[in-house]
Amino acid sequence: MRKRAWIVFLDESGVSLLPEVCRTYASRGRTPALRHRLNWKRASMAAALGCHAADPDRGLRLCFHLKPGSYDTTSLIEVLEQIKTFYAGESVVLVWDGLSAHWSRGMRAWLAEQDWLTLERLPAYAPDLNPVEPLWSAIKTRELANLAGDHLADVADAAERGIHRVCSSEQLPWSFLTHTGLTIHPQTPQN
């Protein structure tokens, strides 16, 4: 691994025009009702949360991608190209799960040509080790909670507001990493 490596966790999630139903408060006798069109149009989001392996003072970086439909190998390669630009010239250790598009023949061929990228796979059935999972939870329980949009653009705008909220906080992205229990910057032992 090169001297200036970023450890980047990547994950995808889906949203649709069906609302993320969350508990809410209302006046007694006035049960809130969500009215929506039962539309199954979907969008997919990908986020990459990275921290510098050697220098925690460089902070966390969050890269976000949103597209209609679902991710496949081609669209994930576009996301990785965006990450490559985002980390301009620095090496990246990418940690992601076992989604089939992550390990497809086309993806492996593209990855073989990338000298800036090293891959690590999360263990199966271990979403609690990925700090992007709490990010999705934070957005879906706040900005996307009970949102009954008419168009995918409504859902996309709400998701982007959530990303901006997370990025504007200094502590929130670090809390996602802390939630995993992983130690990226171990303490040096005292003599």
Side-chain angles (χ1 to χ4, degrees):
M1 186 183 322
R2 294 182 200 160
K3 183 179 177 185
R4 303 176 330 177
W6 286 85
I7 298 173
V8 177
F9 294 88
L10 178 72
D11 194 38
E12 304 84 13
S13 184
V15 292
S16 73
L17 289 179
L18 293 178
E20 296 279 337
V21 179
C22 293
R23 183 175 241 172
T24 187
Y25 294 99
S27 302
R28 178 174 282 170
R30 305 235 182 218
T31 303
L34 284 175
R35 301 200 190 287
H36 57 87
R37 299 174 187 258
L38 288 174
N39 194 325
W40 290 95
K41 287 185 181 177
R42 295 188 55 82
S44 295
M45 308 179 289
L49 184 65
C51 63
H52 198 274
D55 187 5
D57 294 332
R58 294 183 72 178
L60 288 177
R61 292 185 181 176
L62 181 61
C63 183
F64 178 71
H65 188 266
L66 180 74
K67 71 176 279 320
S70 59
Y71 283 106
D72 59 7
T73 300
T74 304
S75 56
L76 280 173
I77 289 173
E78 291 173 11
V79 171
L80 292 174
E81 288 286 353
Q82 182 180 350
I83 291 171
K84 180 179 182 178
T85 303
F86 195 68
Y87 287 98
E90 299 194 74
S91 62
V92 169
V93 176
L94 186 70
V95 182
W96 60 5
D97 56 23
L99 182 71
S100 60
H102 293 176
W103 306 101
S104 68
R105 183 175 296 146
M107 180 63 77
R108 287 191 310 248
W110 183 83
L111 290 169
E113 300 171 1
Q114 309 304 312
D115 63 344
W116 61 277
L117 188 61
T118 305
L119 294 179
E120 293 294 333
R121 186 174 179 174
L122 284 169
Y125 307 107
D128 51 324
L129 294 178
N130 193 336
V132 182
E133 293 288 346
L135 167 72
W136 298 139
S137 179
I139 292 172
K140 288 181 178 183
T141 58
R142 188 157 172 186
E143 283 79 13
L144 296 175
N146 301 323
L147 175 68
D150 290 327
H151 306 283
L152 273 178
D154 300 334
V155 175
D157 291 344
E160 287 182 12
R161 278 194 307 276
I163 291 294
H164 289 298
R165 175 179 58 86
V166 169
C167 288
S168 66
S169 168
E170 292 221 5
Q171 293 301 320
L172 196 53
W174 283 108
S175 73
F176 300 151
L177 190 58
T178 303
H179 180 75
T180 66
L182 299 174
T183 303
I184 305 295
H185 307 106
Q187 300 291 328
T188 52
Q190 299 290 331
N191 288 337

